[in-house]
Amino acid sequence: MAAPFALVVLTAAWLFLGATVVRDVVVWCALGVLAVCVVILGAAVVRDGGRSRREAYRRAVRAASGAVGRGEGAMPASLGGAGRLSVRAVSVLVAVPALLALWVSVGAADARGSGTSAVLAEEGAVIERLPIARIENEVAEGSSPRADATADFTVSLPSVSGGDGVPASFEATTNRRQEVGAELYVAYVPERPELGAVGDDQRGDVERQLDGRAVEVGTGWVIAGFWVLVTLGLVAGWLTGSTRRRARIVGPGWRALRVTVTGAGEHVDAPPAGGASAADERKRRENTRRLKGLVLQGRDMEDTEVPFHSQMSSEVAGHVLRGSHAWLLWDPRRRRGRDIQADLVGDDGWQLPGAVPVAVAERTVKAGHTRPAQPDPQRRVRLLDLGAGWLTTASLSVLLTWAVSLGCLAALLLIPDAGGWRPWTAAAGLLAPVLGFLVQGTPREDDDGTS
């Protein structure tokens, strides 16, 4: 849970704070938190790594089974909440784009010479207007002379010995297209022109680079807006998720269906047929859902199957839970979109939160297959957490690549240098996690091919 927050703080510090003691403290703290997360993941890999997802699910079922109860067919009087599953999912969804955003930010800053600007700032650079000697690789946003353009500029820095100038090249994005002979604001160290230079057509942008800030204030507001939109989208997805719910008390208004888990499959949830026009048929196709989940066989329902989808790998869970006898419990008033929140409670004592399509639930009740819930106060169940397998099945290759990525990131942030190692280090740190997941990004397969 700490990793997403550390990544966000680190990104904000790198983008918006200058090269001050505050930023150094924030960067060190954030890197320390990320290092702790890698150590925790390493401990999990050493202890439980290499396990297949099916093995992890079997262990989860065994851990959740054996709860206190009176008889195998007893219904629980209370059900646990399912917030932890969604919180974990949101954490992963935040961590991945945050890490990518951080690397993109560092890369963008480095492309503008962040390593060079850090060295120049430490050596006491001055800012002067110097003429452009050469322009290469210009990319303009339009054909107008006033269009913004990005190019590699070369200027001639005054030599300490008084001879020919020392050429220095840098990349800059200017507010209009430049020509050879035009002047730019250039920061360099007069006593050491070999350190290079950074420049721009706006003095404020040069000062920003020397100060250590990667983006302009205006660009920062745009980035902040994107973060707000992404955060709102994630929060909305979390609030409307089919499995997120609080702990509940099973009351007399609940419906209960005795079922047996027969495996996993796909259910096509299509709205009832409307008119015969092409528009009605197109709308019906657009509103048709394909839901992957467990397949439940109700008592005295040999010709009807009940789909149950939840936050898990349904194919693997179908193999692990096949043949389990359970109660399917739901409150008809608790609807979320086209689903009814439901809980599958196994006779062994586990509880799996999920959802059932409204049409299927109403059809089952109308057919008389359900009955009012009759909870037993002595019955206890434990939440079956089938979403935690990503940690127990993490591979050594994934761990090592995350450690490499973290090391490269720390080197780029903490070592002020303009050397040619920076692009290679950035490439290694960015590609290392991708390579790790390609090698073994998903749990290994079992003998029968089920991951």
Side-chain angles (χ1 to χ4, degrees):
M1 290 295 296
F5 296 105
L7 288 168
V8 172
V9 171
L10 184 57
T11 304
W14 177 256
L15 291 177
F16 307 124
L17 293 181
T20 62
V21 176
V22 175
R23 187 176 80 165
D24 292 339
V25 172
V26 172
V27 169
W28 276 104
C29 291
L31 290 175
V33 172
L34 291 176
V36 171
C37 294
V38 172
V39 171
I40 294 174
L41 179 59
V45 170
V46 172
R47 184 179 66 250
D48 299 316
R51 182 179 297 115
S52 69
R53 190 174 299 252
R54 184 187 295 190
E55 291 171 338
Y57 278 17
R58 287 198 182 103
R59 285 190 53 160
V61 172
R62 288 195 297 268
S65 299
V68 178
R70 295 174 55 186
E72 292 184 349
M75 302 179 193
S78 61
L79 297 173
R84 290 191 301 116
L85 300 179
S86 295
V87 168
R88 179 181 294 109
V90 170
S91 299
V92 175
L93 291 175
V94 171
V96 173
L99 180 61
L100 293 177
L102 176 61
W103 272 110
V104 170
S105 302
V106 173
D110 220 53
R112 295 295 184 271
S114 62
T116 302
S117 61
V119 174
L120 295 177
E122 287 189 352
E123 296 294 332
V126 299
I127 301 176
E128 295 182 358
R129 288 181 64 88
L130 297 176
I132 301 173
R134 187 169 65 250
I135 300 177
E136 297 177 314
N137 305 321
E138 184 184 55
V139 178
E141 297 183 2
S143 57
S144 172
R146 297 185 177 275
D148 294 348
T150 301
D152 295 328
F153 298 97
T154 300
V155 296
S156 181
L157 304 179
S159 174
V160 178
S161 61
D164 296 335
V166 179
S169 298
F170 54 85
E171 181 183 3
T173 299
T174 56
N175 291 340
R176 58 176 298 168
R177 300 179 68 174
Q178 302 294 323
E179 298 179 351
V180 175
E183 292 185 341
L184 296 178
Y185 289 97
V186 179
Y188 70 101
V189 180
E191 297 79 12
R192 302 185 61 186
E194 70 276 2
L195 294 178
V198 294
D200 203 280
D201 61 342
Q202 302 294 321
R203 185 183 182 92
D205 286 340
V206 180
E207 294 175 344
R208 171 181 56 80
Q209 293 185 56
L210 293 178
D211 189 39
R213 289 176 286 121
V215 296
E216 304 175 19
V217 176
T219 307
W221 283 110
V222 175
I223 295 175
F226 278 115
W227 273 107
V228 170
L229 292 177
V230 171
T231 303
L232 290 178
L234 294 175
V235 171
W238 177 48
L239 294 176
T240 60
S242 62
T243 61
R244 193 193 71 85
R245 63 203 65 174
R246 299 178 179 177
R248 289 138 295 141
I249 301 298
V250 179
W254 286 55
R255 307 304 302 179
L257 176 66
R258 189 65 176 166
V259 297
T260 301
V261 181
T262 60
E266 184 180 73
H267 173 72
V268 179
D269 182 31
S277 65
D280 292 335
E281 183 61 26
R282 183 174 62 256
K283 184 177 180 181
R284 184 172 183 270
R285 288 197 305 268
E286 291 175 351
N287 293 328
T288 298
R289 299 184 300 167
R290 295 185 178 274
L291 305 174
K292 292 184 178 180
L294 295 177
V295 177
L296 311 178
Q297 183 69 58
R299 180 178 296 177
D300 301 327
M301 297 173 57
E302 289 78 7
D303 58 339
T304 305
E305 294 179 336
V306 179
F308 178 83
H309 59 96
S310 64
Q311 188 174 339
M312 61 181 180
S313 174
S314 58
E315 182 179 355
V316 182
H319 283 276
V320 173
L321 299 178
R322 178 180 292 143
S324 300
H325 300 286
W327 284 104
L328 182 63
L329 305 173
W330 72 87
D331 184 348
R333 298 167 298 179
R334 291 185 175 272
R335 298 190 180 188
R336 184 164 290 169
R338 294 167 59 181
D339 293 323
I340 288 183
Q341 295 181 357
D343 288 82
L344 191 63
V345 179
D347 289 348
D348 293 335
W350 48 263
Q351 170 205 344
L352 181 62
V356 174
V358 172
V360 175
E362 292 179 345
R363 191 164 55 245
T364 303
V365 174
K366 186 176 181 180
H369 297 301
T370 65
R371 72 180 197 183
Q374 298 176 344
D376 186 343
Q378 302 300 321
R379 180 61 165 164
R380 298 289 183 270
V381 293
R382 295 177 182 173
L383 192 68
L384 177 58
D385 189 355
L386 295 186
W390 66 269
L391 182 61
T392 59
T393 58
S395 64
L396 184 60
S397 62
V398 174
L399 171 65
L400 292 177
T401 53
W402 271 81
V404 170
S405 181
L406 178 59
C408 295
L409 184 61
L412 291 173
L413 288 173
L414 302 177
I415 301 178
D417 184 26
W421 62 272
R422 297 184 69 89
W424 294 102
T425 303
L430 190 59
L431 295 178
V434 178
L435 179 61
F437 282 107
L438 288 178
V439 173
Q440 194 175 0
T442 57
R444 64 176 175 82
E445 294 185 351
D446 288 327
D447 294 336
D448 60 357
T450 302
S451 59

